[in-house]
Amino acid sequence: MDGFLVALVVSFGVIFVAELGDKSQLMALTFATRFKTVPVLIGITVATAIVHLASVAIGVGLNAALPTGWISLAAGLAFLGFGVWTLRGDKLTEEEKRKAEKTGKSAIFAVGVAFFLAELGDKTMLATITLATKYGWFGTWLGSTLGMVAADALAILVGRLLGRHLPERTIRYGAAVLFAICGLWLILEAVRELS
């Protein structure tokens, strides 16, 4: 597989898993109860594309400035941190719930702004920065954006089919394990490179 495909597949997988059980999925579910599904997905896609474009720009800048061994080590430690963060779980704050429940003239605008603000500094943004340092910008941007939109679309679909009875604990533990595996793999790669 060439570099673009690797970046696309890895980024899609990592961000899809990171998004499972995240507050963004809860926001997507909440918005989908107030607005039609298509405008919600368009708002999510636009906001995610913008945030992740900024994320990959930061990641590529870091990659140009730092040696790759140290980047892999920092990325591995970050992924272990994401695993712990995932175990802790996410909940919507009262303010985020109010924003998600507001109706406005444009559902796309309301969803887009809410998701943009919610994603700044979120673990998916940080994971995208980390992935971009390793895999480059375009495949990472496209894969991470598609992974997040797919996870949020899944939340809307499953939420509508099953009500709000999702196995959050199982999802959270599975995502944490995958983050830990990625983190340990990157740390081992860094140790080999720095030795």
Side-chain angles (χ1 to χ4, degrees), residues 51-64 125 128-130 132-133:
V51 170
H52 288 195
L53 188 59
S55 301
V56 296
I58 293 167
V60 169
L62 286 174
N63 189 38
M125 180 184 183
T128 302
I129 291 170
T130 303
T133 64

Side-chain angles (χ1 to χ4, degrees), residues 23-24 27 31 35 43-44 47 51 95-96 98-101 107-120:
K23 68 181 174 186
S24 300
M27 286 178 66
F31 275 123
F35 303 119
I44 290 169
V51 170
E95 181 182 341
E96 289 168 331
R98 278 194 305 278
K99 283 181 188 175
E101 290 170 355
I108 294 171
F109 182 75
V111 172
V113 169
F115 266 81
F116 178 81
L117 295 174
E119 286 305 306
L120 293 177

Side-chain angles (χ1 to χ4, degrees), residues 12 48 159 164:
F12 179 91
T48 301
R164 294 205 172 127

